[in-house]
């Protein structure tokens, strides 16, 4: 074993993260990450867990008791939801309108669900009628749909789906990783049974913790499959025959760990808990509606800016998330080289794309801490310079001016 | 929805964490946790991932290319290992000598393995012969065993098991969460195929990231089951029929994300990566052998201290981990009240116990940052006071004196 000389302490370069996420965290979230640790059952720890649950009830707009964090990135939350709700062979309906719809289907398939998909063209959302028609046809146990799919920037309207799911006896699950905090979200008012997210988008934290909330109906499903793990199981503890085929992502055990019984499961990721708590605290301190409005304004300014600069926006703008816009890469501009110049010369990061859009569009985000005027204007100014350098026809200064106008007239 | 008034920024009380883990993190690890974020494919990010892989090769004492982090707590690493290595119906042999052996068996069972266990009395380890006998009888695909089980404080000798596994065509997997960094560990020299850990014990970081290393033989098994997920799969990508039934914990995909192809999977938990990197960097800067020696010395001092104070040590002291000792709660002392007094009056945390030892023993750790003389002496001095208060016969000052002697004569 030969090893390179030891590196020094971590010392990241200055970056303005204006891609589809992860984005630059709020400074106070970073400060929270470095707070000293306490023990797993320290009264301060359990109080902080309870407090964090209550904060996320505010973020989700829910009264759900079962509002916790899954210790992993957003897809850990997705997998925890699907593997805990869906028994092998049960039907799951996934309306797919971008990459993350495919991900929900993929995770449900691995959980041995019978997966049915319907697909919308990239850049479009589904009508309520199209989803209801599929529910009637498939009769799924769970409807699983993302709210915002960063791959296309689309924001699927969810507000009418809960009533439809309730009418048809379907559990209604959405992943709001890309959208939560930057767009309206009402877990209870929209009739959601399960919702999951991550910190690294509009919540303004690092990836690695997945907020999740479950309705009493969803908790009943999870509880019916409960199996307390060997090593801590006591006489009389449940051991369902159709227990969840994951230990780490078994919501039955995760809820018992967060609940009054405090049954040992994983060792809660304390620093991520601190960070997640601060993300929610900041959001509620600013106000849920005010944070969405800040994202709406930043998104409107960025949209006006890229359009005024002469760039073509991808997808159905009427259904775009507030926090991300996709623009077509101008003819002749090498997409990756231009993104590299933005990063190297300005420290500004914008995003590339997946699947059918790869090489065709850039994605520019305005999320969390970076849903700010100076971040929007700096990004547009840097983009001006880089587009000009690569010979794209640009209208110098017009993007910045248009974005500034949006802020001025707000 | 009525919500309590918003709390302030996180502000944990001062704690000296001397339980079986999590323990107080190294200050520089906490500082690393608050470093600014960069994008997922920023050259600094990918370089940091590569650097962290190389640092962990040093920690594990391995040349394994497949040395990465799983984004979750230590049991996420355990589940990733078992679910990725073991096909449903394959046999797994788990020698159980404490709670965490039960956990390995439980996770393997959920992964639909045919699980065989052998059990040692709590407080003992297995002889090599007992494990080989079981291997010959069961003919497992995988031998899964913890190195150190904090529930009993035992440290199972592993150095002869690799050769036995190789002779019988068995994959050799160990979970070293509780032991790594505080006790000898040699992934390559001991013939390990897979090893997993967490940061929250002797590595001196927060829970939430699980270092893992896989031998080329283990990588072959994982690769044979590879399925690139829907949404990013390209023509010609593999899609094994017996793919792993988890997406999040599928090591095939996790290795592709860390490998040269950098295939998008989860969004790496950047702050946890920074923390994990610093844990490894500190360990290698101090020197692998020196860190183990520091733990040996702290453990010897704590052992001498509790014995001199008149407490009875639980289990086979010859096979105790360096970093934790279990002591019987003296007759008449209310175990939880005494632990509460230590925490309330001195800010010192020691641990309770699981299963058959619950209410019978306390567990006292000397790990990572807290494997220090002042931490050992402070804990013993506080314990003196609390034992006296609860009427236990104590020999005032003798515990502290004995521990100080161990340090003085080192």
């Amino acid at each position: 074993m030969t090893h390179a000389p030891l590196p020094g302490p971590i010392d990241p370069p200055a970056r303005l993260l204006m891609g589809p996420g992860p984005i630059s965290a709020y400074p106070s979230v970073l400060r929270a990450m470095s707070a000293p640790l306490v023990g797993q059952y320290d009264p301060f720890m359990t109080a902080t867990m309870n407090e964090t649950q209550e904060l996320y009830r505010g973020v989700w707009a829910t009264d759900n008791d079962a509002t916790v964090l899954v210790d992993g990135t957003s897809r850990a939350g997705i997998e925890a939801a699907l593997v805990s709700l869906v028994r092998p062979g049960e039907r799951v309906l996934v309306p797919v309108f971008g990459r993350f719809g495919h991900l929900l289907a993929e995770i449900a398939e691995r959980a041995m669900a019978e997966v049915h998909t319907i697909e919308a063209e990239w850049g479009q959302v589904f009508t309520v009628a199209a989803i209801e028609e599929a529910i009637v046809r498939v009769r799924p146990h769970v409807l699983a749909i993302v709210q915002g799919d960063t791959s296309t920037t689309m924001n699927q309207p969810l507000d009418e789906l809960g009533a439809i799911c309730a009418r048809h006896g379907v559990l209604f699950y959405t992943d709001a990783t890309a959208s939560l905090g930057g767009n309206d979200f009402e877990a209870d008012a929209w009739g959601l049974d399960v919702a999951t997210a991550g910190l690294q988008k509009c919540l303004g934290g690092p990836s690695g913790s997945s907020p999740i909330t479950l309705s009493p109906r969803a908790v009943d499903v999870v509880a019916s499959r409960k199996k307390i793990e060997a090593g801590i199981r006591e006489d009389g503890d449940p051991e369902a025959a159709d227990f969840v085929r994951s230990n780490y992502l078994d919501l039955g055990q995760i809820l018992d760990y967060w609940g009054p019984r405090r049954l040992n499961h994983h060792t809660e990721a304390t620093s991520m808990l601190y960070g997640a708590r601060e993300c929610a605290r900041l959001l509620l301190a600013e106000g849920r509606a005010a944070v969405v409005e800040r994202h709406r304004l930043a998104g409107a300014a960025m949209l006006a800016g890229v359009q005024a600069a002469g760039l073509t926006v991808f997808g159905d703008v009427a259904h775009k998330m507030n926090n991300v816009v996709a623009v077509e890469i101008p003819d002749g501009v090498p997409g990756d080289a231009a993104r590299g110049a933005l990063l190297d010369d300005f420290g500004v990061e914008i995003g590339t794309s997946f699947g059918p859009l790869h090489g065709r569009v850039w994605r520019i985000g305005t999320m969390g801490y970076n849903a700010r005027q100076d971040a929007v204007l700096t990004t547009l100014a840097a983009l001006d310079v880089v587009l000009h350098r690569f010979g794209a026809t640009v209208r110098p200064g017009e993007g910045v001016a248009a974005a500034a106008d949006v802020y001025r007239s707000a």
Side-chain angles (χ1 to χ4, degrees), chain A:
Chain A
M1 270 149 271
T2 57
H3 297 290
L6 281 182
I10 194 83
D11 188 18
R15 295 289 192 238
L16 183 64
L17 300 179
M18 303 296 285
I23 51 82
S24 317
Y26 288 105
S28 76
V29 172
L30 294 179
R31 285 194 296 273
M33 298 297 296
S34 68
L37 305 183
V38 298
Q40 192 175 6
Y41 292 104
D42 193 302
F44 180 82
M45 182 69 180
T46 50
T48 299
M49 291 172 75
N50 291 343
E51 198 173 68
T52 303
Q53 293 187 275
E54 185 60 12
L55 289 167
Y56 275 92
R57 288 184 194 111
V59 171
W60 289 115
T62 186
D63 282 329
N64 288 337
D65 186 53
T67 302
V68 301
L69 305 175
V70 173
D71 279 8
T73 70
S74 21
R75 74 168 62 197
I78 296 171
E79 187 162 322
L82 288 170
V83 83
S84 300
L85 283 178
V86 182
R87 293 174 177 84
E90 285 184 331
R91 282 188 297 278
V92 174
L93 172 64
V94 186
V96 174
F97 58 100
R99 182 203 160 184
F100 292 96
H102 286 298
L103 180 64
L104 296 191
E106 148 90 19
I107 292 175
E109 184 198 351
R110 293 206 188 209
M112 297 193 269
E114 181 187 314
V115 180
H116 296 255
T117 58
I118 53 175
E119 297 203 26
E121 195 186 338
W122 282 42
Q124 306 296 322
V125 297
F126 289 94
T127 61
V128 171
I131 293 174
E132 181 162 21
E133 185 280 320
I135 286 175
V136 169
R137 180 167 47 78
V138 172
R139 303 210 148 278
H141 172 59
V142 173
L143 170 70
I145 186 166
V146 299
Q147 181 183 27
D149 199 311
T150 44
S151 68
T152 67
T153 77
M154 291 298 104
N155 187 19
Q156 172 67 44
L158 301 178
D159 53 322
E160 295 179 49
L161 299 182
I164 292 168
C165 285
R167 200 152 62 232
H168 295 284
V170 174
L171 286 167
F172 178 22
Y173 162 53
T174 198
D175 177 60
T177 296
S179 49
L180 185 68
N183 306 269
D184 288 333
F185 193 93
E186 299 285 341
D188 285 1
W190 294 353
L192 278 153
D193 289 301
V194 185
T196 56
L199 304 185
Q200 73 274 19
K201 310 278 185 177
C202 304
L203 295 178
S207 172
S209 178
S210 180
I212 186 170
T213 187
L214 287 83
S215 72
R217 201 157 64 119
V219 170
D220 285 347
V221 173
V222 166
S224 73
R225 305 181 67 195
K226 189 142 78 178
K227 175 178 186 285
I228 309 290
E229 73 187 31
I232 59 169
R233 193 184 305 142
E234 295 179 357
D235 288 348
D237 273 341
E239 191 180 350
D242 55 351
F243 59 84
V244 174
R245 285 299 179 181
S246 170
N247 173 299
Y248 190 65
L249 300 172
D250 177 358
L251 288 175
Q253 293 195 98
I254 293 171
L255 292 178
D256 268 343
Y257 178 61
W258 284 80
R261 200 169 163 193
R262 295 273 174 217
L263 263 190
N264 192 256
H265 180 247
H266 61 286
T267 298
E268 183 60 15
T270 314
S271 303
M272 288 306 309
L273 172 72
Y274 292 169
R277 174 188 179 280
E278 184 65 9
C279 289
R281 200 185 71 83
L282 287 179
L283 185 145
L284 297 179
E286 183 175 351
R288 242 160 46 86
V291 174
V292 171
E293 174 57 22
R294 177 162 59 78
H295 280 86
R296 194 202 58 72
L297 185 58
M302 186 61 87
L303 177 66
V306 295
Q307 287 175 324
L311 294 166
T312 305
V313 173
F314 169 82
D316 172 10
V317 172
H319 289 101
K320 195 180 80 54
M321 280 185 279
N322 288 328
N323 49 297
V324 60
V325 63
V327 296
E328 294 182 11
I329 301 170
D331 283 347
V333 173
D336 287 347
R339 287 196 312 117
L342 272 176
L343 191 70
D344 291 342
D345 295 354
F346 296 90
V348 173
E349 181 182 272
I350 65 169
T352 178
S353 300
F354 293 113
L357 300 182
H358 186 70
R360 276 185 53 200
V361 311
W362 290 319
R363 293 175 300 156
I364 307 178
T366 42
M367 305 194 195
Y369 183 51
N370 290 347
R372 304 190 318 266
Q373 179 173 342
D374 63 290
V376 171
L377 300 193
T378 300
T379 302
L380 288 166
L383 197 57
D384 245 18
V385 174
V386 168
L387 286 174
H388 179 75
R389 183 188 315 166
F390 283 98
T393 311
V394 283
R395 306 175 193 141
E398 293 192 25
V400 173
D405 275 349
V406 169
Y407 270 102
R408 243 190 312 271
S409 57

